[in-house]
Structures are given as C-alpha cells and as structure tokens.
Amino acid sequence: DAKTTQPTSMDCAEGRAANLPCNHSTISGNEYVYWYRQIHSQGPQYIIHGLKNNETNEMASLIITEDRKSSTLILPHATLRDTAVYYCIVRVPQAAYKYIFGTGTRLKVLA
Amino acid sequence: DAGVTQSPTHLIKTRGQQVTLRCSPKSGHDTVSWYQQALGQGPQFIFQYYEEEERQRGNFPDRFSGHQFPNYSSELNVNALLLGDSALYLCASSLFRGAQETQYFGPGTRLLVL
C-alpha cells in the first residue's frame, strides 16, 4: 500500500550530514510529503513536511525535486541520538485521514 | 504543554480476553487516530475519531472498536484477543486541516497476548 520507497538502512558518521532519500514517483499534485522518525519503539516523532518548496526547521531540511517524484531529508550534523528508523509518508488524497507507513530507513549514526 | 499521553504503558493479557487502551490528545487537538505496530513493521492505521465519530477505518476486524469523548480523549477496545494482537498500539492526535493535518504520536502501549 505504501506509495514511497526508501533504502532499508544507512550509516552516517557523527557530525556529518545525513541525507535520507525517498522515492514517491506516483505522487499527486496536492499530496504532501511527511517525515517522521521512531527511536527504539517509542512513538513516531514528527520531523518536517512539505508540498513542493524546500523546507527547513530546527530539526532538518527537506529537499523536494522539481518534478516532486523524490525527496531528501537532511540532518545537517548527525548525532548519536539521531539513530532511528526514518519514515517518509505521502498523504493519500482518497484516504486523507490516515498515514500509510512503509518500512522506513534504519539510520545508524556512528561515533 | 503536555503532548499525547497513553495508558497503560505495558499490558499483558491472555487469549480471549478484552482490553481497553486510553489516549489523551495534545492540547488543542480534536482528532485522534489509532495505529498498531507489530515488531519490525511500520505502524498500521486502525481508525480515526473526530467529533466523537469514527471518520475512517483501516483493514481491521470488528473486534477493534473505539470511542471518543467530548473532551477529545479516546479509547481503543479489542475483544477476543488473539496472539497476533500483540503489538505496540500508538495513538496520534491532530487538528483537522485536510491535507496538511500533522499527527503527533504518543509513546504507545505495548500489549502482549499470551
């Protein structure tokens, strides 16, 4: 059911930028891209969302390609506490009330 | 400002029993969604409540039911528990704004069915 594709796992050195890609090639014009992360079976934590413009907040930056078929979540200076599973979610318009989670990317930040 | 809270944090039940899980939404939020997360999987949508009505439902049997109270808090009830109902149950609250609705998740209730 998931409309997004993410790599299963990634490693990143502490202090470096972590770039997490997401493919959403069937995205529609009014669908937002959301990113969440889940640290060791805690509840998912909201990170950022966007429609077509790049977005930045205190946690991360979201870069969406011009054709909107893919996006990248950037953690500018990864720390050990950023080790988590990261989920990229596209809001499905005919099911606008729910999030459809895929399997996410397991990011491991290495000391 | 308290975030989304859930109770209990952990629960152990036996097959055939019934369970009730509780959720208090983030202050100012009027919508509550429930998700089930099996080990190693992403969360799966169960249903969403808005204005005390079930607004949408995922692919879960009728054994799963819910309720939303006038203060927007919510309960998830599961009857006739099966071993496969063992999971982390997540509550998420939001303020309905259509496609930009952002859901904020609670810490979850871990249910073990023996």
Side-chain angles (χ1 to χ4, degrees), chain A residues 5 7 11-12 18 21-22 24 28 41-42 45 50-51 56 59 65 67 73 76 81 87 96 98 102 105:
Chain A
T5 304
D11 290 341
C12 176
C22 179
H24 32 79
S28 299
S41 292
Q42 297 176 20
Q45 177 188 24
L51 183 61
T56 296
M59 289 184 68
T65 58
D67 63 8
L73 178 74
R81 289 177 294 180
Y87 294 101
K98 64 180 180 181
T105 296

Side-chain angles (χ1 to χ4, degrees), chain B residues 20-35:
Chain B
T20 297
L21 311 181
R22 296 176 176 83
C23 172
S24 291
K26 188 176 167 66
S27 177
H29 285 184
D30 57 7
T31 302
V32 172
S33 303
W34 287 92
Y35 292 79

Side-chain angles (χ1 to χ4, degrees), chain A residues 34 36 38 49 91 97 99, chain B residues 35 37 48 100-101 103:
Chain A
Y34 279 76
Y36 283 77
Q38 189 171 26
H49 74 280
R91 297 292 302 280
Y97 306 127
Y99 289 168
Chain B
Y35 292 79
Q37 186 174 24
Q48 184 179 83
Q100 265 207 89
E101 178 183 339
Q103 296 185 5

Side-chain angles (χ1 to χ4, degrees), chain A residues 7-102:
Chain A
T8 303
S9 64
M10 295 180 64
D11 290 341
C12 176
E14 188 177 21
R16 304 296 295 269
N19 297 283
L20 292 93
C22 179
N23 182 289
H24 32 79
S25 57
T26 60
I27 195 170
S28 299
N30 61 346
E31 291 180 301
Y32 283 78
V33 179
Y34 279 76
W35 283 83
Y36 283 77
R37 71 180 182 184
Q38 189 171 26
I39 299 172
H40 192 56
S41 292
Q42 297 176 20
Q45 177 188 24
Y46 166 75
I47 302 173
I48 198 167
H49 74 280
L51 183 61
K52 54 183 176 182
N53 297 319
N54 297 338
E55 301 288 344
T56 296
N57 63 20
E58 65 278 4
M59 289 184 68
S61 295
L62 174 60
I63 309 298
I64 302 174
T65 58
E66 193 169 342
D67 63 8
R68 302 208 330 118
K69 293 184 177 182
S70 66
S71 61
T72 301
L73 178 74
I74 300 173
L75 308 178
H77 306 287
T79 71
L80 298 179
R81 289 177 294 180
D82 292 323
T83 293
V85 177
Y86 287 78
Y87 294 101
C88 168
I89 299 163
V90 170
R91 297 292 302 280
V92 182
Q94 66 270 27
Y97 306 127
K98 64 180 180 181
Y99 289 168
I100 300 176
F101 286 81

